[in-house]
């Protein structure tokens, strides 16, 4: 995993707006995006379709409480 | 007093300079400002005659602006100014890296923090230091300060006296395993690790635990999903949080109150510490410890630093101690023990670990909290005695309203807790819940707006008793959705309404309040704290204007409280009143709790 | 110990690239090398253009001086040797030794007096050479160095004649010599009249028309020598020089002059001096050993809101700049042959001299 991802304290949210015809399609697209971005255990936090598109927020936890937190790992550093 | 030269170095804008000048003059400095369009040469020339202690430049970074700022610094050095005059720069896009590249002594990025500016002018600490340590040592505030608890409604006072006399008489010859464990724990905490006395006390403690808890002590068996926190993880905390320390910037805009509290309880004390430091950095004044729901339903608490991947951080002395060690000393800390079989012991652990506030509510814990009312009445009164003994105020959450209970019944229960606390020498804080409860939804009390009812629910307290008021828990309950912006906005709206009604403290949610499929995240805390800061700024000393309906609602609630208390007083048995639904009935969606039924013992 | 300063006419003119090339040769020559910067060096990308920037990749044994909070930012492992009392935006300046090679982020002393403190520590810790990277267009702190490398190029201006004209004007700042007699240290403008009388004007700098009027008022009878020790705007000197025929004009330092005004205006000053028989000189001067030119410039693509790397013709650029400069060599260090910096900067270990 990259250093930047390691530094995420807990959740990584992705917010966007899909061009789509229905809430169902938006859900499919959100799930497809989770798969494309390989988000582990990605979840749709919020999804609302109006008119020609849907407002979506997707979340994955990089670190869950009780995990091993990589942002706590020591880097090689000054003595 | 020191002299400061202010220069916009901008062809048009000097608003930041005008603001700085006013604030510096208010603080007693001599501030000389130059007009927009001033050149670097003019700034240095002015400084050569003025001999200022500091020059502050405000400029938005843009095309060739860095070169202009760099030339100013170079010219100041060429003119021999830099040995005595410090140079600071602020403005959009001015980062510390840019400031260092340009050779400034300090940068002021983002919102203007005058404490930083003063420290810089005084040469006491550079910004790097100022951002590391609070520039002003904060004193821990008090939520209850200034209140007399004098009852203005004498009828209610008389009814409460009657009800609580009965309660105190009822519990006077009763005890429970929970109370005995609390007594043992208090003794255990005084014993050195490994002492034979401690072993004996622990054996007596284990005998009063349920099977699962006893298995932890006897066989080292951890509850499902729970693990020990590694010593290395704990040892790394100071280094990890070193970079997160920031000066406390109050959220309040007009006055010091209300103090803003946030709840934590991610399941992991280390993650909690990160969330606490985040909340502190974004302005929170206080924190509330949330433990897992199973902690309320078991007889006995665990020991050691424990973590798990579920909601609520396990209540142990070591976990609390760890958290206390890293929270800001001025951050108020509430350890809740309002609803379960370990209510009494929780007060002992909290007090010993350094808590500032307790949370105890018998009617809530005895119904929606799931604990048998009789058991919680006995344990609860003992806990109130502990709160008084330790001199710690306790708050009384009105979360039973979430079941569908009308506010007047919830408030009647809170008032009974208040009077009990006062009789035992405590300092109670009622916590009316500002929420869109099922009761409001069913009866349409908030169909037009959410201001009238919430205003009435706060104003009624001022009619009854001179008491601090702390809406929670959290405000805006059931108005939140998983949409981040909506959630932060509705939290901020409820905080602003309560703040403008002169409450003393508020518990607020994160923007993850309505997200149930994962733990609350650090960014969600920031979202809501940012929203609150801006709405408090927006409101200042202005007030909401409720419709005339608010007065009707106020009168209705006040009358309802009196009637409820009259019914309970007439019944002459507090726990029976809970069982019979006088403080919230099955029709209101409330059922008496069952955990711990039949565990109260009568002393011989 | 020799202290070499690297200064540029603008961002992206190749200061750091030149310093890195000198560093590499110092390492090859087994010179104990120390590094610091009067600005901030260490970002992977330019914060304005987003284009990649050269990083300081430093071998074991090198000394660095940088702010405390930046010690851990690079990949190099360092051991702190000394903590100074010099405070900066990123904390106190620390002197450290690289123990494991890697990148470092340098943000060192930003004032001349602080640079002197750091240089003294480097010398005490055994450095043979100290390389001081400049910052943007800032030069004055480099007064504390022993020799300068100037860098200019297309990032200053994309038009080669403009670069050449500016470079020649810049070089002209080094034509006046350092004043032969050491004057008593003073913070003020000093006037020595031909009759032996003296006068002082507080401030030491000439930056405004009111300061100019004030000075003119004092030039009421023949002057032997005028000393302006600090900043001095060249445009304000014109009227002054008319009152000083045949006298000596002593300025602070070429770097202070550059900070005070455009080199093109200074060229005009030297012409006026020549016409009026005024002898210009400095109280102090750091010699320029070399000028590097860089054909690179960031070209803005407006339609895409981004910059892309672009270049002018290197050979044309070098040739155009060389025409106007005789005091020191001019070169594009990316073009062969590789220059011998050890010789050009007089860095040879003493026993080999």
């Amino acid at each position: 995993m990259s250093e930047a991802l390691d530094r995420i304290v807990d959740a990584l949210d992705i917010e966007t707006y899909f061009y789509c015809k229905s809430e169902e399609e938006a859900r499919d697209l959100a799930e497809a995006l989770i798969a494309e971005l390989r988000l582990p255990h990605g979840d749709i936090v919020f999804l609302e379709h109006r008119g020609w598109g849907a407002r979506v927020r997707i979340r994955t936890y990089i670190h869950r409480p009780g995990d091993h937190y990589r942002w706590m790992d020591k880097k090689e550093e000054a003595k | 007093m020191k002299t400061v030269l202010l220069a916009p170095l901008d062809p048009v804008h000097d608003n930041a300079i005008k603001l700085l000048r006013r604030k510096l003059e208010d603080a007693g400095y001599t501030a000389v400002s130059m007009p927009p369009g001033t050149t670097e040469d003019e700034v240095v020339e002015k400084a050569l005659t003025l001999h200022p202690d500091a020059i502050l430049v405000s400029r938005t970074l843009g095309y060739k602006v860095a070169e202009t700022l760099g030339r100013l610094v170079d010219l100041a050095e060429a003119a021999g100014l830099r040995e005595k005059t410090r140079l600071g720069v602020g403005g959009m896009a001015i980062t510390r890296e840019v400031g260092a590249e340009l050779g400034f002594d300090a940068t002021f990025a983002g919102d203007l923090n005058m404490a930083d500016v003063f420290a810089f002018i005084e040469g006491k600490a550079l910004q790097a230091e100022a951002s590391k340590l609070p520039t002003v040592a904060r004193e821990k505030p008090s939520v209850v300060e200034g209140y007399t608890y004098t009852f203005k409604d004498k009828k209610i006072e008389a009814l409460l006296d009657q009800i609580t006399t009965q309660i105190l008489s009822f519990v006077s010859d009763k005890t429970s395993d929970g109370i005995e464990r609390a007594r043992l724990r208090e003794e255990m905490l005084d014993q050195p690790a490994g002492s034979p006395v401690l072993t004996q006390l622990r054996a007596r403690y284990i005998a009063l635990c349920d099977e699962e808890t006893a298995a932890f002590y006897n066989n080292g068996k951890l509850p499902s999903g729970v693990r020990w926190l590694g010593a290395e993880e704990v040892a790394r905390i100071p280094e990890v949080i070193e970079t997160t320390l920031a000066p406390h910037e109050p959220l309040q805009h007009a006055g010091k109150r209300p103090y803003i509290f946030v709840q934590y309880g991610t399941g992991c004390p280390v993650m909690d510490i990160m969330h606490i430091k985040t909340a502190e950095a974004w302005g929170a004044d206080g924190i509330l410890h949330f433990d897992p729901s199973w902690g309320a339903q078991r007889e006995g608490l665990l020991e050691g630093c424990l973590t798990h991947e579920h909601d609520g951080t396990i209540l142990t002395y070591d976990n609390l101690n760890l958290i206390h060690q890293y929270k800001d000393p001025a951050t108020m800390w509430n350890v809740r023990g309002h609803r379960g079989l370990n209510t009494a012991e929780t007060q002992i652990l909290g007090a010993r670990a350094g808590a500032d506030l307790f949370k105890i509510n018998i009617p809530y814990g005895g119904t929606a909290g799931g604990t048998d009312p009789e058991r919680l009445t006995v344990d609860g009164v003992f806990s109130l005695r502990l709160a008084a003994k330790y001199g710690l105020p306790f708050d009384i959450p009105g979360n039973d309203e979430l079941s569908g209970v009308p506010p007047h019944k919830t408030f009647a229960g809170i008032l009974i807790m208040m009077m009990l606390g006062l009789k035992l020498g405590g300092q109670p804080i009622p916590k009316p819940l500002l929420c869109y409860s099922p009761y409001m939804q069913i009866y349409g009390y908030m169909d037009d707006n959410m201001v009238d009812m919430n205003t009435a629910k706060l104003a009624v307290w001022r009619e009854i008793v001179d008491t601090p008021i702390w809406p929670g828990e959290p405000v805006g309950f059931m108005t939140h959705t998983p949409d981040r912006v909506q959630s932060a906005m509705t939290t901020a709206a409820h905080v602003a309404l309560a703040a403008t009604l002169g409450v003393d403290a508020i518990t607020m949610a994160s923007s993850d309040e309505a997200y149930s499929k994962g733990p609350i995240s650090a960014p969600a805390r920031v979202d809501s704290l940012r929203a609150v800061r801006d709405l408090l700024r927006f409101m200042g000393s202005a007030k909401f204007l409720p419709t005339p309906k608010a007065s009707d609602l106020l009168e209705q609630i006040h009358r309802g409280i009196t009637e409820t208390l009259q019914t309970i007083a007439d019944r002459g048995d507090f726990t029976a009143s809970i069982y019979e639904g006088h403080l919230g009935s099955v029709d209101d969606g409330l059922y008496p709790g069952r955990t711990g039924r039949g565990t109260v013992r009568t002393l011989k | 110990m020799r202290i070499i300063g690297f200064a540029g006419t603008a961002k992206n003119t190749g200061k750091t690239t030149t310093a890195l090339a000198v560093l590499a040769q110092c390492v090859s020559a087994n010179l104990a090398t120390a590094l610091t910067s009067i600005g901030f060096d260490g970002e992977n990308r330019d914060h304005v253009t987003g284009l990649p920037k050269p990083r300081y990749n430093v071998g074991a044994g090198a000394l660095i001086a940088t702010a405390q909070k930046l010690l851990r930012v690079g990949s190099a492992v360092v051991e702190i040797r000394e903590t100074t009392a010099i405070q900066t935006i990123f904390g106190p300046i620390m002197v450290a030794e690289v123990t494991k090679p890697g990148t470092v982020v340098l943000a060192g002393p930003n004032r001349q007096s602080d640079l002197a403190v750091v240089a003294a520590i480097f010398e005490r810790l055994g450095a043979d050479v100290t390389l001081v990277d400049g910052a943007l267009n800032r030069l004055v702190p480099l007064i504390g160095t022993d020799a300068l490398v100037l860098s200019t190029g297309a990032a200053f201006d994309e038009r080669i004649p403009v670069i050449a004209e500016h470079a020649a004007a810049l070089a002209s700042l080094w034509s006046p010599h350092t004043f032969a007699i050491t004057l008593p240290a003073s913070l003020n403008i000093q006037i020595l009249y031909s009759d032996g009388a003296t006068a002082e004007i507080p401030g030491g700098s000439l930056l405004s028309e009111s300061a100019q009027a004030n000075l003119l008022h004092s030039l009421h009878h023949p002057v032997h020598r005028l000393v302006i020790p600090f900043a001095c705007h060249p445009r304000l000197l014109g009227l002054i020089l008319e009152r000083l025929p045949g006298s000596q004009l002593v300025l602070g330092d070429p770097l202070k002059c550059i900070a005070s005004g455009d080199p093109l205006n200074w060229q005009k000053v030297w012409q006026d001096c020549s016409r009026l028989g005024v002898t210009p000189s400095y109280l102090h001067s750091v010699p320029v050993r070399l000028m590097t030119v860089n054909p690179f410039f960031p070209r803005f693509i407006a339609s895409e809101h981004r910059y892309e790397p672009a270049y002018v013709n290197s050979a044309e650029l070098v040739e155009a700049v060389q025409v106007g400069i005789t005091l020191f060599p001019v070169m594009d260090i990316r073009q062969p042959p590789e220059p011998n910096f050890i010789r050009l900067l007089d860095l040879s270990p003493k026993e080999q001299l």
Side-chain angles (χ1 to χ4, degrees), chain C residues 18 40 45 70 72 81 169 171 182 232 245 270 273 290 324:
Chain C
T18 308
F40 184 95
R45 293 186 176 276
L70 303 172
R72 292 177 188 171
R81 298 289 297 270
T182 307
C232 175
W270 312 141
C273 285
L290 173 69

Side-chain angles (χ1 to χ4, degrees), chain C residues 222-245:
Chain C
V223 171
H224 174 62
R225 181 164 70 223
L226 171 66
V227 185
I228 304 174
F230 290 104
C232 175
H233 202 295
R235 269 193 289 107
L236 299 170
L237 272 177
L239 280 177
I240 307 283
L241 290 173
E242 298 294 337
R243 302 275 188 95
L244 302 175

Side-chain angles (χ1 to χ4, degrees), chain C residues 10-11 51 124 128 148 167 181-182 189 206 228 231 236:
Chain C
K11 282 160 73 75
L51 295 174
R124 185 151 41 75
D128 299 315
L148 289 174
I181 318 160
T182 307
I189 292 177
L206 178 64
I228 304 174
L236 299 170

Side-chain angles (χ1 to χ4, degrees), chain A residues 10 15 43 57 61 66 72, chain B residues 227 236 275 482 484 515 519:
Chain A
D10 40 33
E15 303 203 10
D43 183 35
R57 179 155 65 116
Y61 285 91
M72 283 189 93
Chain B
R227 72 170 174 89
R236 281 280 290 152
H275 279 222
R484 191 170 62 83
Y515 178 61

Side-chain angles (χ1 to χ4, degrees), chain A residues 25-45:
Chain A
E25 190 188 356
R27 198 163 291 279
D28 290 345
L29 285 167
E31 275 161 10
L33 186 64
I34 289 169
E36 281 172 28
L37 295 175
R38 296 181 191 183
L39 302 178
H41 311 291
D43 183 35
I44 300 165
V45 175

Side-chain angles (χ1 to χ4, degrees), chain B residues 562-575:
Chain B
T562 313
E563 286 168 5
T564 304
L565 292 173
Q566 185 70 60
T567 308
I568 296 166
D570 292 346
R571 179 63 178 82
D573 184 335
F574 174 66
T575 52

Side-chain angles (χ1 to χ4, degrees), chain B residues 140-145 149 186 333 347-348 350-352 354-360 382-395 421 424-429:
Chain B
K140 190 179 289 181
S142 161
V143 177
V144 296
E145 193 182 312
Y149 294 107
E186 195 165 24
W333 189 31
Q347 322 303 330
I348 300 285
R352 289 302 190 90
D356 305 295
L357 295 146
F358 288 155
K359 180 204 283 280
I360 309 166
F382 182 81
S383 301
L384 291 176
R385 288 185 201 280
L386 289 175
K389 172 181 152 185
Y390 289 118
L392 297 182
F394 69 96
D395 65 69
L424 297 171
Q427 301 161 281
I429 310 166

Side-chain angles (χ1 to χ4, degrees), chain B residues 42-339:
Chain B
E42 286 164 342
V43 174
V44 171
E45 175 66 20
K46 183 78 182 173
L48 284 170
T49 52
L50 190 67
H51 306 294
D53 299 281
I55 301 174
L56 287 170
V57 181
S58 161
R59 185 66 165 99
T60 299
L61 207 58
Y63 181 70
K64 291 279 178 197
V65 171
E67 282 77 2
T68 303
L69 292 171
R71 177 161 184 269
L72 171 73
V73 174
D74 228 22
L75 190 61
E77 175 137 23
L81 278 174
R82 290 212 64 185
E83 296 302 319
K84 285 184 181 161
T85 302
R86 295 153 67 76
L87 300 180
V89 63
M92 297 282 280
I94 300 283
T95 61
R96 292 199 292 172
E97 288 74 11
V98 170
E101 171 75 0
L102 298 177
F104 281 91
D105 295 309
T107 50
F108 301 95
D111 292 341
L112 187 62
N113 177 352
M114 287 311 291
D116 269 0
V117 176
F118 297 149
F120 166 70
I121 295 166
E122 293 298 330
K124 278 177 188 162
L126 279 175
Q127 196 194 14
E129 300 313 301
S131 65
K132 223 165 79 177
L133 298 165
T135 43
V136 183
R138 270 198 306 153
E139 277 186 32
K140 190 179 289 181
S142 161
V143 177
V144 296
E145 193 182 312
Y147 290 97
T148 60
Y149 294 107
T150 306
F151 274 83
K152 297 170 195 166
D153 185 319
K154 297 297 176 189
K155 179 163 189 206
I156 285 180
E157 184 179 24
L159 289 169
L160 289 172
D161 179 53
Q162 193 183 334
I163 294 165
T164 52
T165 301
Q166 184 271 323
I167 295 172
L168 294 173
S169 158
F170 168 75
V171 303
S172 63
D173 62 345
K174 295 188 178 57
T175 189
S176 72
D177 286 356
I179 290 174
E180 297 312 313
R181 281 197 308 272
R183 291 190 167 121
L184 286 166
R185 181 65 71 185
E186 195 165 24
E187 286 186 65
M188 286 161 75
L189 289 173
D190 287 333
Q191 296 298 323
S195 83
V197 179
L198 179 60
T199 311
Q200 286 169 16
L201 288 168
R202 189 177 283 118
R204 289 168 58 196
Y205 180 93
I206 297 166
L208 298 171
C209 293
D210 60 24
E211 253 177 68
E212 270 192 284
T213 312
F216 165 82
Y217 286 101
N218 292 326
N219 315 320
K221 188 171 181 284
L222 289 167
S224 162
V226 177
R227 72 170 174 89
W228 295 101
L229 209 55
E232 204 179 311
E233 290 171 81
V234 175
R236 281 280 290 152
I237 301 171
E239 214 173 312
V240 170
I241 65 168
E242 193 261 343
T243 55
T244 70
L245 296 180
H248 184 80
E249 290 176 42
L251 291 164
Q252 299 80 1
H253 182 69
K256 287 188 173 172
R257 297 188 191 190
Y259 304 117
I260 306 293
F261 282 71
V262 298
Q263 305 157 319
Y264 71 86
T266 61
C268 171
V270 177
M271 186 63 93
D272 284 344
I273 289 166
M274 296 307 285
H275 279 222
I276 291 165
K277 299 319 287 181
T278 304
E280 285 173 346
W282 262 269
D285 301 293
I287 50 174
L288 297 111
H289 183 99
F290 271 50
D291 57 327
S293 52
W294 51 259
Q297 289 151 14
R298 291 202 178 153
E299 296 279 10
L301 293 171
L302 309 180
E303 288 181 6
C305 283
L306 297 170
T307 180
H308 68 157
E309 297 194 14
H310 301 287
D311 277 358
T313 300
I314 300 169
L315 256 176
T316 67
Y317 178 68
D318 300 277
N319 274 354
L320 290 177
N321 232 353
L322 186 65
I323 288 161
H324 180 256
Q325 198 179 332
Y326 291 106
K327 76 170 191 67
D328 188 303
T331 298
M332 289 177 277
W333 189 31
N334 182 311
V335 176
R336 73 169 183 177
H338 59 311
R339 71 202 199 291

